[in-house]
Amino acid sequence: VNDGVGFFTSRVISRYMQEAMFMLDEGAKIEDIDQTALKTGFPVGPVIVSDEVGLDTAVKVGKVLEEVFANRFTGSAILAKVVEDGRYGRKNEKGFYEYKGGKKVGPDATAYDFTKAGRNRIAVTPEEIADRLLLSFCLESTLCLEENVLRNPRDGDVGGVMGIGFPANLGGPFHYMDVRGIQNVVDSIARLEERFGARFAVPQTLKDMASAGKKFFPDE
């Protein structure tokens, strides 16, 4: 990949994890987010990833990305609050999950106290959770291609699957968008933009491709 803040993998995985934090803040359950991610084909759920990476590390990375990509990366208020409470994830056995003897035993309901919704959890459909995670991943991948961080869609698919766990059954973010249909992807992201704002602004590349009826892999 070409040089740039976050390169490819850190930018995309951060955006994926960030969307999970927004869903938590809105009232989604930790286990619903992570279990849906697993059923979709991600090897690890985004909330678990946050605990594994280290919540303090995630906060530091988030601040750097927010400075550079202000419209799309908004530092999660939840992460800052849990870190202030001394929760760093697996490293100190205190995070969004509970740990005993070094082993994860289940979601820690007290972590909800740091969200806007508090402990009043709501039922978010698996379809919405999966869509927001997948499209966040695809959107940021497209911007990496648009900004020449990625040389081509194939690199993004290989890096997405092998490097940061995009569902292998979906073939990588660019292959997935081709199969789903570029116009469908544009329409779906646009609906999320109406609900959640600039972080779901549709990349110009996707708009142009939809208008021209193009695909990332036209020969396949």
Side-chain angles (χ1 to χ4, degrees):
V1 298
N2 283 325
D3 194 8
V5 174
F7 300 99
F8 169 62
T9 53
S10 293
R11 269 181 64 172
V12 175
I13 197 68
S14 295
R15 181 65 188 86
Y16 164 74
M17 291 161 61
Q18 178 196 55
E19 196 59 33
M21 293 299 113
F22 279 117
M23 286 190 273
L24 273 182
D25 210 21
E26 294 160 18
K29 296 178 182 177
I30 293 170
E31 61 269 31
D32 287 350
I33 295 171
D34 280 344
Q35 288 172 11
T36 296
L38 290 175
K39 290 177 181 177
T40 303
F42 288 97
V44 185
V47 185
I48 293 177
V49 171
S50 299
D51 264 16
E52 295 288 346
V53 167
L55 302 178
D56 53 334
T57 301
V59 168
K60 292 176 183 177
V61 172
K63 288 179 179 178
V64 173
L65 292 172
E66 185 178 3
E67 289 177 4
V68 180
F69 307 109
N71 290 332
R72 293 195 316 283
F73 285 93
T74 303
S76 172
I78 306 172
L79 284 177
K81 290 176 182 177
V82 295
V83 169
E84 286 175 8
D85 189 56
R87 298 168 182 254
Y88 303 143
R90 181 181 285 279
K91 66 175 70 177
N92 73 338
E93 298 193 357
K94 193 177 181 183
F96 289 107
Y97 281 84
E98 292 184 280
Y99 300 86
K100 289 184 179 179
K103 294 183 178 180
K104 177 170 59 64
V105 295
D108 184 349
T110 64
Y112 294 139
D113 294 338
F114 302 98
T115 67
K116 291 178 181 177
R119 298 200 189 187
N120 298 316
R121 296 292 99 184
I122 60 175
V124 182
T125 66
E127 291 77 15
E128 177 176 340
I129 292 171
D131 224 32
R132 287 172 67 174
L133 293 177
L134 287 169
L135 291 176
S136 295
F137 201 113
C138 290
L139 191 159
E140 198 62 36
S141 296
T142 301
L143 290 170
C144 285
L145 181 65
E146 194 173 275
E147 297 164 16
N148 296 314
V149 172
L150 287 172
R151 296 178 300 176
N152 53 60
R154 182 75 65 202
D155 287 354
D157 280 351
V158 173
V161 172
M162 303 299 289
I164 43 178
F166 188 86
N169 57 299
L170 300 180
F174 296 101
H175 176 78
Y176 170 72
M177 286 188 279
D178 271 2
V179 172
R180 179 165 173 166
I182 302 300
Q183 186 63 61
N184 180 286
V185 171
V186 168
D187 293 342
S188 298
I189 294 176
R191 286 193 291 271
L192 290 173
E193 183 181 8
E194 288 179 4
R195 292 177 61 191
F196 304 113
R199 72 178 187 271
F200 278 110
V202 183
Q204 189 62 44
T205 294
L206 291 180
K207 292 180 181 178
D208 293 344
M209 290 177 67
S211 297
K214 292 184 176 180
K215 301 171 67 176
F216 287 107
F217 302 106
D219 298 330
E220 294 184 359

